[in-house]
Amino acid sequence: MPRLTDARKELRRAQITEAALRCFGRNGLERTSIADITAESGLSAGSIYAHYRDKADLVQSSAREVLAERAKVLSEYAASDTPPDPDDLLGRLTAAIDPVAARVGVQTWGEATTNPAIRGIVVDMTDRMRAMLHDCVTAWLVKVEHHEPDRARESAAPIAHRVMALYQAQLLYTALQSPPEETAS
Amino acid sequence: MPRLTDARKELRRAQITEAALRCFGRNGLERTSIADITAESGLSAGSIYAHYRDKADLVQSSAREVLAERAKVLSEYAASDTPPDPDDLLGRLTAAIDPVAARVGVQTWGEATTNPAIRGIVVDMTDRMRAMLHDCVTAWLVKVEHHEPDRARESAAPIAHRVMALYQAQLLYTALQSPPEETAS
DNA sequence: GTCTATACGATGATAGAC
DNA sequence: GTCTATCATCGTATAGAC
């Protein structure tokens, strides 16, 4: 296995998706052209197509990355000895929102309404995040409020659902709040 | 003033936006071509451009219509003698969500992140709807819970904010839930 | 693997007849 | 006002040299 080669490959892919994400944040998923991404990344079109089958493939990888990033923060909370209460949990999530990621995230929602591949990614990530919230809230009920584990899991569900909803609304708010930085053009 | 002529003109415009909205619901704001709309409306490209300056103009009009439709339902609740409580209010709003409108609504969110004109429309409609929710909740606090009007308006604000957030999350959920109907293609 | 140059298709928009 | 036919532009993706 050429492990080092694979690592370099992944590094290039990351470099490309990062440039793509900046473009998406400015111009949107669809109005970003390959030319935009070549300009932003410093690479050429040929190079990009050597790492991604087509533009759809690149968009999917980028979307996955943005959404995964958002979910990452949560995992540690559930394992904590003193998990945050729901209000605190929502506050921390809200505070961690990055404006560019918020814009791209909301763009993926819009794209998901008509693009099955993107919908799959969004639904999967949303479900995953809700499950992690559920774990967080359960941990709080058990460790801080001293509920019985079984009952805790049950009563945590609607709370997690609400935290998720409020978080999504906040993400939308952030995305609409901050206008994308102007391109030099 | 040729009032009748104006009415006919508005009728045509409505016919076009309705066809456009069906296309948007299926294929999204950007992946809908003028050709798609001519096929869906039965009109020709020339006819469409006689009523709209360009595609952006058509998208804006359609977006405005979808969002206005959603706000319309609310106005009557605030005036009611027995305004619904917040939970009931949210339930009614949720029940009134149309799948196609939900998809197009979420698409406008995505578009709003990078398109100033659309952002203006979305923010305006969101603010307007939040204000109407505020009126509804205030009316409920005053007429049903018998709060004092001044205090009611104050305490209604955070409640309205939360109802709005939960409604938006529900809209997103609906938009992701229902796949667009297949095109005959 | 990365570049430059280019082919090809799609789409927004217009011209001009009726 | 509506049509058909057409143009010009832009953007994806590829070919082929290095």
Side-chain angles (χ1 to χ4, degrees):
Chain A
M1 297 289 199
R3 192 173 290 252
L4 190 70
T5 307
D6 278 9
R8 287 188 66 84
K9 201 168 192 171
E10 273 312 309
L11 212 65
R12 255 287 186 270
R13 282 176 64 97
Q15 176 187 354
I16 294 171
T17 56
E18 275 165 30
L21 286 175
R22 286 192 294 273
C23 293
F24 294 156
R26 278 201 300 269
N27 304 325
L29 258 37
E30 330 234 357
R31 224 169 304 133
T32 293
S33 67
I34 300 297
D36 292 334
I37 299 174
T38 62
E40 181 74 28
S41 67
L43 295 172
S44 67
S47 180
I48 289 176
Y49 280 96
H51 292 275
Y52 293 92
R53 247 191 70 253
D54 52 20
K55 193 189 166 187
D57 184 23
L58 172 56
V59 170
Q60 284 167 38
S61 294
S62 306
R64 229 185 293 269
E65 192 170 301
V66 169
L67 300 180
E69 181 73 28
R70 273 198 278 139
K72 206 186 296 176
V73 198
L74 272 177
S75 53
E76 57 194 36
Y77 289 152
S80 164
D81 280 341
T82 57
D85 66 81
D87 276 352
D88 194 9
L89 182 60
L90 178 61
R92 294 192 199 193
L93 286 175
T94 299
I97 292 177
D98 169 66
V100 176
R103 280 198 296 276
V104 178
V106 173
Q107 288 164 17
T108 63
W109 294 350
E111 182 68 10
T113 62
T114 56
N115 181 330
I118 297 291
R119 169 163 47 231
I121 294 171
V122 170
V123 168
D124 183 53
M125 286 298 179
T126 303
D127 287 348
R128 200 172 304 210
M129 193 165 168
R130 209 193 318 270
M132 292 171 87
L133 284 174
H134 190 208
D135 288 345
C136 288
V137 175
T138 302
W140 170 71
L141 285 174
V142 170
K143 294 181 183 170
V144 178
E145 299 287 299
H146 303 295
H147 285 207
E148 201 192 351
D150 285 350
R151 303 285 291 181
R153 280 205 76 77
E154 253 181 75
S155 41
I159 299 175
H161 193 276
R162 251 197 21 194
V163 172
M164 184 71 186
L166 293 173
Y167 170 68
Q168 286 170 329
Q170 186 59 43
L171 198 80
L172 172 62
Y173 187 74
T174 303
L176 296 181
Q177 192 80 358
S178 61
E181 69 260 27
E182 302 289 334
T183 123
S185 87
Chain B
M1 296 291 199
R3 190 175 291 252
L4 190 70
T5 306
D6 278 8
R8 286 188 66 84
K9 201 168 192 170
E10 274 310 310
L11 213 64
R12 255 288 184 269
R13 282 175 65 96
Q15 176 187 356
I16 294 171
T17 55
E18 277 166 29
L21 286 176
R22 286 192 293 273
C23 292
F24 294 156
R26 278 201 299 269
N27 304 325
L29 257 39
E30 330 236 356
R31 224 168 304 134
T32 292
S33 68
I34 300 296
D36 292 334
I37 300 174
T38 61
E40 181 75 28
S41 67
L43 295 171
S44 68
S47 179
I48 289 177
Y49 279 96
H51 292 274
Y52 292 93
R53 247 192 69 252
D54 52 20
K55 194 190 167 187
D57 184 24
L58 173 55
V59 169
Q60 284 168 36
S61 295
S62 305
R64 227 185 293 269
E65 191 170 303
V66 167
L67 300 180
E69 181 73 28
R70 274 200 276 140
K72 205 187 297 175
V73 198
L74 272 178
S75 54
E76 55 194 39
Y77 290 152
S80 164
D81 280 341
T82 56
D85 66 81
D87 276 352
D88 194 8
L89 183 59
L90 178 61
R92 293 191 200 196
L93 286 175
T94 299
I97 292 176
D98 169 65
V100 176
R103 281 198 295 276
V104 179
V106 172
Q107 287 164 18
T108 63
W109 293 351
E111 182 68 11
T113 61
T114 57
N115 180 331
I118 297 290
R119 170 166 41 232
I121 295 171
V122 170
V123 169
D124 182 55
M125 286 298 179
T126 302
D127 288 348
R128 199 171 304 210
M129 194 165 167
R130 209 191 318 270
M132 292 171 87
L133 284 175
H134 191 209
D135 288 345
C136 287
V137 174
T138 302
W140 170 71
L141 285 174
V142 171
K143 294 181 185 172
V144 177
E145 300 286 300
H146 303 294
H147 285 208
E148 201 191 350
D150 284 350
R151 303 286 289 182
R153 281 206 75 78
E154 252 182 75
S155 42
I159 300 175
H161 193 275
R162 249 197 22 191
V163 172
M164 184 71 185
L166 293 173
Y167 171 68
Q168 287 171 329
Q170 186 60 41
L171 198 79
L172 172 61
Y173 186 74
T174 303
L176 296 181
Q177 192 81 359
S178 60
E181 67 258 25
E182 302 290 334
T183 119
S185 84

Short mmCIF file of all heavy atoms in Angstrom, two decimals, chain B residues 62-99:
data_model
loop_
_atom_site.label_atom_id
_atom_site.label_comp_id
_atom_site.label_asym_id
_atom_site.label_seq_id
_atom_site.Cartn_x
_atom_site.Cartn_y
_atom_site.Cartn_z
N SER B 62 -41.18 35.20 -8.12
CA SER B 62 -41.66 33.91 -7.64
C SER B 62 -41.36 33.73 -6.16
O SER B 62 -42.21 33.28 -5.39
CB SER B 62 -41.01 32.79 -8.44
OG SER B 62 -41.22 32.98 -9.83
N ALA B 63 -40.16 34.11 -5.77
CA ALA B 63 -39.76 33.99 -4.37
C ALA B 63 -40.69 34.83 -3.49
O ALA B 63 -41.18 34.37 -2.46
CB ALA B 63 -38.32 34.43 -4.19
N ARG B 64 -40.92 36.04 -3.91
CA ARG B 64 -41.81 36.92 -3.16
C ARG B 64 -43.18 36.27 -2.97
O ARG B 64 -43.75 36.29 -1.88
CB ARG B 64 -41.96 38.26 -3.90
CG ARG B 64 -41.80 39.47 -3.02
CD ARG B 64 -42.09 40.74 -3.79
NE ARG B 64 -41.10 41.00 -4.85
CZ ARG B 64 -40.00 41.74 -4.67
NH1 ARG B 64 -39.76 42.27 -3.49
NH2 ARG B 64 -39.16 41.94 -5.66
N GLU B 65 -43.67 35.67 -4.03
CA GLU B 65 -45.00 35.06 -3.98
C GLU B 65 -45.05 33.91 -2.99
O GLU B 65 -45.96 33.82 -2.17
CB GLU B 65 -45.39 34.58 -5.38
CG GLU B 65 -46.85 34.17 -5.49
CD GLU B 65 -47.23 33.94 -6.95
OE1 GLU B 65 -47.07 34.88 -7.77
OE2 GLU B 65 -47.67 32.84 -7.26
N VAL B 66 -44.06 33.04 -3.06
CA VAL B 66 -44.03 31.89 -2.15
C VAL B 66 -43.99 32.34 -0.71
O VAL B 66 -44.74 31.85 0.15
CB VAL B 66 -42.80 31.00 -2.42
CG1 VAL B 66 -42.61 30.01 -1.29
CG2 VAL B 66 -42.95 30.26 -3.73
N LEU B 67 -43.12 33.28 -0.41
CA LEU B 67 -42.94 33.71 0.97
C LEU B 67 -44.17 34.48 1.46
O LEU B 67 -44.58 34.34 2.61
CB LEU B 67 -41.68 34.56 1.09
CG LEU B 67 -40.40 33.83 0.67
CD1 LEU B 67 -39.19 34.73 0.82
CD2 LEU B 67 -40.20 32.56 1.48
N ALA B 68 -44.76 35.27 0.58
CA ALA B 68 -45.94 36.04 0.98
C ALA B 68 -47.10 35.11 1.31
O ALA B 68 -47.84 35.32 2.27
CB ALA B 68 -46.33 37.00 -0.14
N GLU B 69 -47.24 34.08 0.50
CA GLU B 69 -48.30 33.08 0.72
C GLU B 69 -48.22 32.51 2.12
O GLU B 69 -49.23 32.38 2.81
CB GLU B 69 -48.13 31.96 -0.31
CG GLU B 69 -49.18 30.87 -0.23
CD GLU B 69 -50.51 31.36 -0.77
OE1 GLU B 69 -50.51 32.25 -1.65
OE2 GLU B 69 -51.55 30.86 -0.30
N ARG B 70 -46.99 32.23 2.55
CA ARG B 70 -46.80 31.63 3.87
C ARG B 70 -47.18 32.60 4.98
O ARG B 70 -47.68 32.21 6.01
CB ARG B 70 -45.34 31.21 4.04
CG ARG B 70 -45.05 29.84 3.51
CD ARG B 70 -43.81 29.29 4.12
NE ARG B 70 -42.63 29.76 3.41
CZ ARG B 70 -41.52 30.13 4.00
NH1 ARG B 70 -41.43 30.09 5.32
NH2 ARG B 70 -40.50 30.51 3.30
N ALA B 71 -46.93 33.87 4.76
CA ALA B 71 -47.21 34.86 5.81
C ALA B 71 -48.70 35.16 5.90
O ALA B 71 -49.20 35.55 6.95
CB ALA B 71 -46.42 36.14 5.51
N LYS B 72 -49.40 34.94 4.80
CA LYS B 72 -50.80 35.36 4.71
C LYS B 72 -51.68 34.74 5.81
O LYS B 72 -52.52 35.40 6.41
CB LYS B 72 -51.35 35.00 3.33
CG LYS B 72 -52.52 35.86 2.90
CD LYS B 72 -53.12 35.35 1.59
CE LYS B 72 -52.14 35.41 0.42
NZ LYS B 72 -52.68 34.81 -0.81
N VAL B 73 -51.44 33.44 6.05
CA VAL B 73 -52.28 32.71 6.98
C VAL B 73 -52.31 33.35 8.36
O VAL B 73 -53.30 33.28 9.08
CB VAL B 73 -51.76 31.25 7.13
CG1 VAL B 73 -52.83 30.35 7.72
CG2 VAL B 73 -51.28 30.72 5.80
N LEU B 74 -51.19 33.97 8.71
CA LEU B 74 -51.03 34.44 10.08
C LEU B 74 -51.93 35.61 10.45
O LEU B 74 -52.38 35.71 11.60
CB LEU B 74 -49.58 34.86 10.30
CG LEU B 74 -48.64 33.77 10.75
CD1 LEU B 74 -47.24 34.30 10.88
CD2 LEU B 74 -49.12 33.19 12.07
N SER B 75 -52.19 36.48 9.51
CA SER B 75 -52.83 37.75 9.84
C SER B 75 -54.15 37.57 10.57
O SER B 75 -54.50 38.36 11.45
CB SER B 75 -53.04 38.58 8.57
OG SER B 75 -53.73 37.81 7.62
N GLU B 76 -54.88 36.51 10.21
CA GLU B 76 -56.21 36.35 10.80
C GLU B 76 -56.15 35.91 12.26
O GLU B 76 -57.04 36.25 13.05
CB GLU B 76 -57.03 35.35 9.98
CG GLU B 76 -56.34 34.02 9.81
CD GLU B 76 -57.02 33.18 8.71
OE1 GLU B 76 -57.42 33.80 7.69
OE2 GLU B 76 -57.16 31.97 8.87
N TYR B 77 -55.10 35.17 12.60
CA TYR B 77 -55.03 34.66 13.97
C TYR B 77 -54.95 35.77 15.01
O TYR B 77 -55.58 35.72 16.06
CB TYR B 77 -53.80 33.73 14.14
CG TYR B 77 -53.95 32.42 13.41
CD1 TYR B 77 -52.82 31.75 12.95
CD2 TYR B 77 -55.20 31.85 13.18
CE1 TYR B 77 -52.93 30.54 12.28
CE2 TYR B 77 -55.32 30.65 12.51
CZ TYR B 77 -54.20 30.00 12.06
OH TYR B 77 -54.31 28.81 11.40
N ALA B 78 -54.14 36.76 14.70
CA ALA B 78 -53.93 37.84 15.68
C ALA B 78 -55.23 38.59 15.96
O ALA B 78 -55.44 39.07 17.07
CB ALA B 78 -52.87 38.81 15.15
N ALA B 79 -56.09 38.66 14.95
CA ALA B 79 -57.33 39.42 15.10
C ALA B 79 -58.43 38.61 15.80
O ALA B 79 -59.44 39.16 16.23
CB ALA B 79 -57.82 39.88 13.73
N SER B 80 -58.21 37.32 15.92
CA SER B 80 -59.24 36.44 16.48
C SER B 80 -59.57 36.79 17.94
O SER B 80 -58.74 37.32 18.68
CB SER B 80 -58.77 35.00 16.40
OG SER B 80 -59.55 34.17 17.24
N ASP B 81 -60.79 36.49 18.36
CA ASP B 81 -61.19 36.73 19.74
C ASP B 81 -60.54 35.72 20.69
O ASP B 81 -60.29 36.03 21.84
CB ASP B 81 -62.73 36.64 19.88
CG ASP B 81 -63.40 37.91 19.40
OD1 ASP B 81 -62.70 38.94 19.33
OD2 ASP B 81 -64.60 37.87 19.08
N THR B 82 -60.29 34.53 20.17
CA THR B 82 -59.63 33.51 20.98
C THR B 82 -58.38 33.03 20.25
O THR B 82 -58.40 31.97 19.62
CB THR B 82 -60.56 32.30 21.22
OG1 THR B 82 -60.98 31.81 19.92
CG2 THR B 82 -61.78 32.71 22.01
N PRO B 83 -57.32 33.84 20.33
CA PRO B 83 -56.07 33.49 19.62
C PRO B 83 -55.52 32.17 20.14
O PRO B 83 -55.64 31.87 21.33
CB PRO B 83 -55.13 34.65 19.97
CG PRO B 83 -55.99 35.73 20.54
CD PRO B 83 -57.16 35.04 21.16
N PRO B 84 -54.93 31.38 19.28
CA PRO B 84 -54.35 30.10 19.69
C PRO B 84 -53.13 30.30 20.58
O PRO B 84 -52.40 31.28 20.44
CB PRO B 84 -53.95 29.45 18.36
CG PRO B 84 -53.78 30.58 17.41
CD PRO B 84 -54.75 31.63 17.84
N ASP B 85 -52.92 29.36 21.50
CA ASP B 85 -51.71 29.43 22.32
C ASP B 85 -50.51 29.04 21.46
O ASP B 85 -50.68 28.46 20.38
CB ASP B 85 -51.84 28.50 23.53
CG ASP B 85 -51.89 27.04 23.14
OD1 ASP B 85 -50.82 26.46 22.89
OD2 ASP B 85 -53.02 26.49 23.07
N PRO B 86 -49.29 29.35 21.91
CA PRO B 86 -48.09 29.15 21.09
C PRO B 86 -47.97 27.75 20.48
O PRO B 86 -47.67 27.60 19.30
CB PRO B 86 -46.96 29.43 22.07
CG PRO B 86 -47.53 30.44 22.99
CD PRO B 86 -48.97 30.06 23.16
N ASP B 87 -48.22 26.72 21.27
CA ASP B 87 -48.13 25.36 20.75
C ASP B 87 -49.13 25.13 19.63
O ASP B 87 -48.81 24.56 18.58
CB ASP B 87 -48.39 24.34 21.88
CG ASP B 87 -47.13 24.06 22.68
OD1 ASP B 87 -46.05 24.54 22.25
OD2 ASP B 87 -47.22 23.38 23.71
N ASP B 88 -50.33 25.59 19.88
CA ASP B 88 -51.38 25.45 18.87
C ASP B 88 -51.02 26.23 17.61
O ASP B 88 -51.20 25.76 16.48
CB ASP B 88 -52.70 25.95 19.47
CG ASP B 88 -53.89 25.52 18.63
OD1 ASP B 88 -53.71 24.71 17.70
OD2 ASP B 88 -55.01 26.00 18.91
N LEU B 89 -50.52 27.42 17.83
CA LEU B 89 -50.10 28.29 16.72
C LEU B 89 -49.08 27.57 15.84
O LEU B 89 -49.23 27.50 14.62
CB LEU B 89 -49.50 29.57 17.29
CG LEU B 89 -49.06 30.66 16.32
CD1 LEU B 89 -50.23 31.13 15.46
CD2 LEU B 89 -48.45 31.83 17.08
N LEU B 90 -48.07 27.02 16.49
CA LEU B 90 -47.04 26.30 15.75
C LEU B 90 -47.63 25.10 15.01
O LEU B 90 -47.30 24.84 13.85
CB LEU B 90 -45.94 25.83 16.71
CG LEU B 90 -44.81 25.01 16.07
CD1 LEU B 90 -44.08 25.82 15.02
CD2 LEU B 90 -43.83 24.52 17.14
N GLY B 91 -48.55 24.41 15.70
CA GLY B 91 -49.18 23.25 15.08
C GLY B 91 -49.94 23.62 13.82
O GLY B 91 -49.85 22.94 12.80
N ARG B 92 -50.66 24.73 13.88
CA ARG B 92 -51.43 25.14 12.70
C ARG B 92 -50.52 25.55 11.56
O ARG B 92 -50.77 25.24 10.40
CB ARG B 92 -52.34 26.32 13.07
CG ARG B 92 -53.42 25.95 14.06
CD ARG B 92 -54.43 27.06 14.18
NE ARG B 92 -55.19 26.95 15.43
CZ ARG B 92 -56.32 27.60 15.64
NH1 ARG B 92 -56.80 28.42 14.73
NH2 ARG B 92 -56.96 27.45 16.79
N LEU B 93 -49.48 26.29 11.90
CA LEU B 93 -48.52 26.70 10.87
C LEU B 93 -47.89 25.49 10.21
O LEU B 93 -47.78 25.40 9.00
CB LEU B 93 -47.43 27.58 11.49
CG LEU B 93 -47.83 29.00 11.86
CD1 LEU B 93 -46.69 29.69 12.58
CD2 LEU B 93 -48.22 29.77 10.62
N THR B 94 -47.50 24.54 11.04
CA THR B 94 -46.86 23.33 10.54
C THR B 94 -47.81 22.56 9.63
O THR B 94 -47.41 22.09 8.55
CB THR B 94 -46.43 22.43 11.72
OG1 THR B 94 -45.48 23.14 12.52
CG2 THR B 94 -45.80 21.15 11.21
N ALA B 95 -49.06 22.46 10.05
CA ALA B 95 -50.04 21.71 9.27
C ALA B 95 -50.30 22.36 7.92
O ALA B 95 -50.67 21.69 6.95
CB ALA B 95 -51.33 21.57 10.05
N ALA B 96 -50.09 23.67 7.85
CA ALA B 96 -50.41 24.39 6.62
C ALA B 96 -49.27 24.38 5.60
O ALA B 96 -49.40 24.91 4.51
CB ALA B 96 -50.77 25.84 6.96
N ILE B 97 -48.16 23.73 5.95
CA ILE B 97 -47.01 23.73 5.05
C ILE B 97 -47.27 22.89 3.81
O ILE B 97 -47.63 21.73 3.90
CB ILE B 97 -45.75 23.20 5.79
CG1 ILE B 97 -45.31 24.18 6.88
CG2 ILE B 97 -44.62 22.98 4.79
CD1 ILE B 97 -44.14 23.68 7.70
N ASP B 98 -47.05 23.51 2.67
CA ASP B 98 -47.16 22.80 1.40
C ASP B 98 -45.76 22.33 0.96
O ASP B 98 -44.81 23.10 0.99
CB ASP B 98 -47.74 23.74 0.33
CG ASP B 98 -47.62 23.15 -1.05
OD1 ASP B 98 -48.27 22.12 -1.30
OD2 ASP B 98 -46.88 23.72 -1.88
N PRO B 99 -45.64 21.07 0.59
CA PRO B 99 -44.33 20.51 0.27
C PRO B 99 -43.58 21.27 -0.82
O PRO B 99 -42.37 21.51 -0.68
CB PRO B 99 -44.66 19.09 -0.21
CG PRO B 99 -45.96 18.75 0.45
CD PRO B 99 -46.71 20.04 0.53
#
